[in-house]
Amino acid sequence: MSLIEKLQWRAAVKKFDPTKKITAQQLDNLLSAVQLAPSSLGLQSFKVIVVQDAETKEKLRAAGYNQPQITDSAALFVFASLTKLDEDFGKRYIDLVAATRSVERESLEGFEQMILGTLNSRTDEQKIAWSHKQTYIALGVLLSAAADMGIDAGPMEGFDPDKFDEILGLKEKGLTTSVIAAVGYRAHDDVYSKMIKVRRPKEELFIHI
Ligand SMILES: Cc1cc2nc3c(=O)[nH]c(=O)nc-3n(C[C@H](O)[C@H](O)[C@H](O)COP(=O)(O)O)c2cc1C
């Protein structure tokens, strides 16, 4: 299948087959895809909690409007934004760039000032809102990578973020939930994935100038 055919195949599955698990290798490939997602300034100001524990998934389902995807999928990806994006966070990123590319930290001075300037020019709320946007890019990459691997992934915003934060102990970790995705395999009788995809026509969606 071409990429476009795979994107036609993918669907926001509502009914997963709870008996079908993904392998450790498949999971690792999905993590690699998320890891490789681009982010503004490269900062990756988020973490992803991968929930496979049945008991935790039950609790999250109750906080997720009882959506069955949360418990029946093989793994639940919880994208969470960092809540503290201070100068130290920016400086530690520069440390990582220097170490990864084996360059002198001093040569990154201009880049560091740009990052610190960006962080310092925003309020905490603005920085968290900005981080939430980054998680959606990673979510998009996850959905596309899963489709490429023939794995189902259902994005969800239908949950109570405060309750998710509480169940997963995210506040103490300096995190807050952004968006989630159930990953696994569709049940043979999942209705939604059999429906014809509804998309706006290209003439309406795109403006060529
Ligand atoms: C950010 C986001 C949040 C979504 N939240 C939910 C959700 O909470 N529950 C659900 O069943 N579907 C949810 N969806 C799935 C959409 O309804 C679905 O992607 C859309 O109808 C298009 O269908 P398709 O993904 O199968 O092509 C969400 C999708 C996105 C991208």
Side-chain angles (χ1 to χ4, degrees), residues 9 11 13 15-18 20-22 26 30 69 72-77 146-147 149-154 181-187:
W9 168 85
V13 167
K15 192 170 180 191
F16 281 82
D17 182 341
K20 286 196 184 158
K21 302 293 171 201
I22 54 172
Q26 286 173 319
L30 292 173
Q69 305 95 298
D72 295 347
S73 56
L76 186 74
F77 281 50
M149 294 163 64
I151 294 172
D152 284 301
V183 174
Y185 289 96
R186 63 189 68 178

Side-chain angles (χ1 to χ4, degrees), residues 10-12 14 67 69 136 139 155-158 179 192 197 199:
R10 73 144 293 280
K14 311 260 183 273
Q67 296 200 69
Q69 305 95 298
Y136 278 72
L139 170 73
M156 280 174 275
E157 275 179 328
V179 65
Y192 194 79
K197 234 179 222 319
R199 291 294 190 269

Side-chain angles (χ1 to χ4, degrees), residues 98-191:
T100 306
R101 294 188 173 149
S102 304
V103 293
E104 292 296 325
R105 212 181 175 292
E106 290 67 45
S107 71
L108 300 167
E109 175 69 23
F111 186 34
E112 180 167 27
Q113 288 314 315
M114 188 173 82
I115 286 176
L116 298 185
T118 302
L119 294 176
N120 288 331
S121 69
R122 296 176 188 198
T123 64
D124 286 345
E125 287 73 27
Q126 285 171 331
K127 284 187 273 193
I128 293 170
W130 174 68
S131 294
H132 284 321
K133 290 187 206 168
Q134 312 308 317
T135 66
Y136 278 72
I137 298 169
L139 170 73
V141 173
L142 170 71
L143 300 182
S144 303
D148 183 54
M149 294 163 64
I151 294 172
D152 284 301
M156 280 174 275
E157 275 179 328
F159 62 89
D160 182 331
D162 291 338
K163 287 189 184 150
F164 262 57
D165 290 356
E166 198 183 312
I167 293 164
L168 297 169
L170 296 189
K171 205 173 170 189
E172 306 84 276
K173 295 185 176 79
L175 294 165
T176 186
T177 309
S178 306
V179 65
I180 62 176
V183 174
Y185 289 96
R186 63 189 68 178
H188 66 88
D189 57 347
D190 174 64
V191 177

Side-chain angles (χ1 to χ4, degrees), residues 1 10 14 16 24 36 43 50 57-58 79-80 90 93 101 107 129 136 140 151 155 162 179 195 202 206:
M1 275 203 280
R10 73 144 293 280
K14 311 260 183 273
F16 281 82
L36 287 166
L43 284 174
V50 181
K57 284 201 284 179
E58 280 295 344
F79 294 83
Y93 177 66
R101 294 188 173 149
S107 71
Y136 278 72
I151 294 172
D162 291 338
V179 65
M195 286 179 173
K202 284 183 180 155
F206 300 101

Side-chain angles (χ1 to χ4, degrees), residues 41-98:
L41 295 170
L43 284 174
Q44 294 178 293
S45 56
F46 59 87
K47 289 184 191 279
V48 185
I49 300 99
V50 181
V51 185
Q52 292 180 284
D53 176 63
E55 208 178 306
T56 307
K57 284 201 284 179
E58 280 295 344
K59 287 186 203 158
L60 293 175
R61 177 171 168 165
Y65 304 109
N66 201 30
Q67 296 200 69
Q69 305 95 298
I70 296 175
T71 46
D72 295 347
S73 56
L76 186 74
F77 281 50
V78 178
F79 294 83
S81 303
L82 299 186
T83 51
K84 194 176 165 206
L85 298 173
D86 56 7
E87 288 212 348
D88 185 52
F89 172 74
K91 286 179 180 167
R92 278 186 282 117
Y93 177 66
I94 294 296
D95 292 341
L96 178 66
V97 176

